[in-house]
Amino acid sequence: MTNPLNVYSDIGRLRQVMLHRPGSELENLMPDYLEQLLFDDIPFLEQARKEHDFFAETLRKQGVDVVYLEDLAAEALHSEELRQQFLTEYLNEAYVTGVDTRKEIEEYFLSIKDTRAFIDQTMAGLRKNQFTITRNQNLSDMVEDSNPFYIDPMPNLYFTRDTFSIVGSSVSLNKMYAKTRRRETLYGKYIFQHHPMFKDDPVKLLYNRTMDTRLEGGDILVLTPKVLAIGISQRTDVNSIEKLAKNVFDYEDSFEHILAFNIGEVRKFMHLDTVFTMVDHDKFTIHPEIEENLVVYSVAKESGVPKIVEETDSLERILCRYLELPAVEFIRCGGDDLTAAAREQWNDGSNTLAIGPGEVVVYDRNPITNQKLEEAGITLHRIPGSELVRGRGGPRCMSMPFIREDLD
């Protein structure tokens, strides 16, 4: 059987991708809890779904098979035993500790017989006004708090890039930076362990959600079958890169080097792919603000402990050397206008999704960056993003490639 996962570059022709269509979890966002849930604003769900459907249809028109996280998760829970096992882990990680509260919540979820509806409810969270919990003599059940939810929603789920990453034919099942996102990786765990598409070819894990240092998929770029780029960022620890590197070199034979980009721990540059993405063999989007002070480390595949070196060349020369290219071209977000660069980076102008070499999906709301991309010979597929962008993520953030064609 052909391996169901194949990602040896960020620009190979995209054949299968996983998305999550925004759901009721967005309607459970409230102003007082936005910071806790990593949002700056509240998207309008109806419009967000229209924009996301346009995105999915744009991919389908280019021959991409679109699969959905919510469908795969439901198909993975193909027995009552698995549903119960998933629910137990889910409630543990949702910190439902009151004995009577937990019992009634568990009964509520198990009463949802349709597995897809069950998954949707776990993603949406659980409001206290959805039903009344009988409060008995356990202190943890009796004490009320001001939180309007028994279980918080997971509004970041439509950014499917972050919770796990495909590297070659293996998976990095990530440990998320924020407590509010850590339950999201539970869906990936059950998909890769129990979905029928992986039954005949068990998935190799390069990283596990149980590890003690954080790692997110927006920081992982597969540049070539030999080279990865990983961001040291607000969301990814440097220690995680060392752990991932060892496993990549052990399990994925083609990879020889990892370039670690230290982009700083700031929210506006939360992941490497918010400031740097690959759009062609020798072309990259880049946010001008990171260029001047960017420090790059190389991690080389060697027997025993990987060899780590701080690179002293310019980024252009580093990329030329490791990607074996005579030259590279940087396409600057916002061009040379720093005001436009800051604005369009905030609106994910640098966060492109390549669906083939020199062919990318972008938000239509970043006209200066989009013009620069076209001037560089890049074919654009524009999608609307007025609501989707409120979660601070672009087309690459919203997509998890499962299969790309290998580069020639």
Side-chain angles (χ1 to χ4, degrees), residues 76-231:
L77 303 185
H78 46 72
S79 71
E80 286 303 315
E81 181 183 4
L82 281 173
R83 268 174 57 118
Q84 179 65 68
Q85 182 180 318
F86 173 89
L87 182 59
T88 298
E89 288 193 68
Y90 172 85
L91 294 178
N92 288 344
E93 296 186 22
Y95 304 100
V96 180
T97 56
V99 176
D100 295 307
T101 301
R102 181 176 176 124
K103 180 181 177 182
E104 293 195 36
I105 289 175
E106 185 171 353
E107 288 173 353
Y108 169 77
F109 275 109
L110 292 177
S111 72
I112 304 172
K113 298 305 180 185
D114 179 79
T115 308
R116 173 55 200 281
F118 168 87
I119 289 292
D120 288 345
Q121 184 65 74
T122 64
M123 293 175 169
L126 196 60
R127 300 180 189 178
K128 287 181 177 175
N129 64 10
Q130 284 182 252
F131 62 94
T132 302
I133 298 290
T134 303
R135 299 196 174 275
N136 295 321
Q137 295 307 307
N138 295 298
L139 185 60
S140 55
D141 287 314
M142 295 175 68
V143 174
E144 273 282 8
D145 61 36
S146 59
N147 191 328
F149 295 94
Y150 290 120
I151 298 173
D152 287 341
M154 290 188 269
N156 297 279
L157 272 169
Y158 70 92
F159 301 125
T160 54
R161 178 71 59 163
D162 298 329
T163 54
F164 56 83
S165 311
I166 313 303
V167 177
S169 61
S170 304
V171 173
S172 174
L173 186 59
N174 299 327
K175 171 68 173 285
M176 305 301 285
Y177 157 78
K179 175 180 171 181
T180 191
R181 294 201 69 181
R182 288 181 185 160
R183 278 176 298 145
E184 295 179 37
T185 63
L186 194 58
Y187 301 106
K189 173 184 175 178
Y190 278 80
I191 289 168
F192 294 122
Q193 286 186 352
H194 301 292
H195 194 281
M197 70 190 294
F198 301 108
K199 177 171 62 98
D200 297 325
D201 203 342
V203 170
K204 297 190 295 292
L205 285 186
L206 305 173
Y207 205 84
N208 204 316
R209 66 193 298 270
T210 58
M211 289 189 175
D212 59 356
T213 57
R214 62 187 189 263
L215 174 69
E216 297 199 359
D219 281 312
I220 299 175
L221 280 64
V222 185
L223 301 183
T224 72
K226 294 182 179 180
V227 183
L228 296 179
I230 305 180

Side-chain angles (χ1 to χ4, degrees), residues 161 217-219 221 271-277 350-351 396-397:
R161 178 71 59 163
D219 281 312
L221 280 64
H271 293 128
L272 179 58
D273 70 4
T274 65
V275 292
F276 180 84
T277 54
S350 297
N351 191 259
R396 190 179 194 274
C397 293

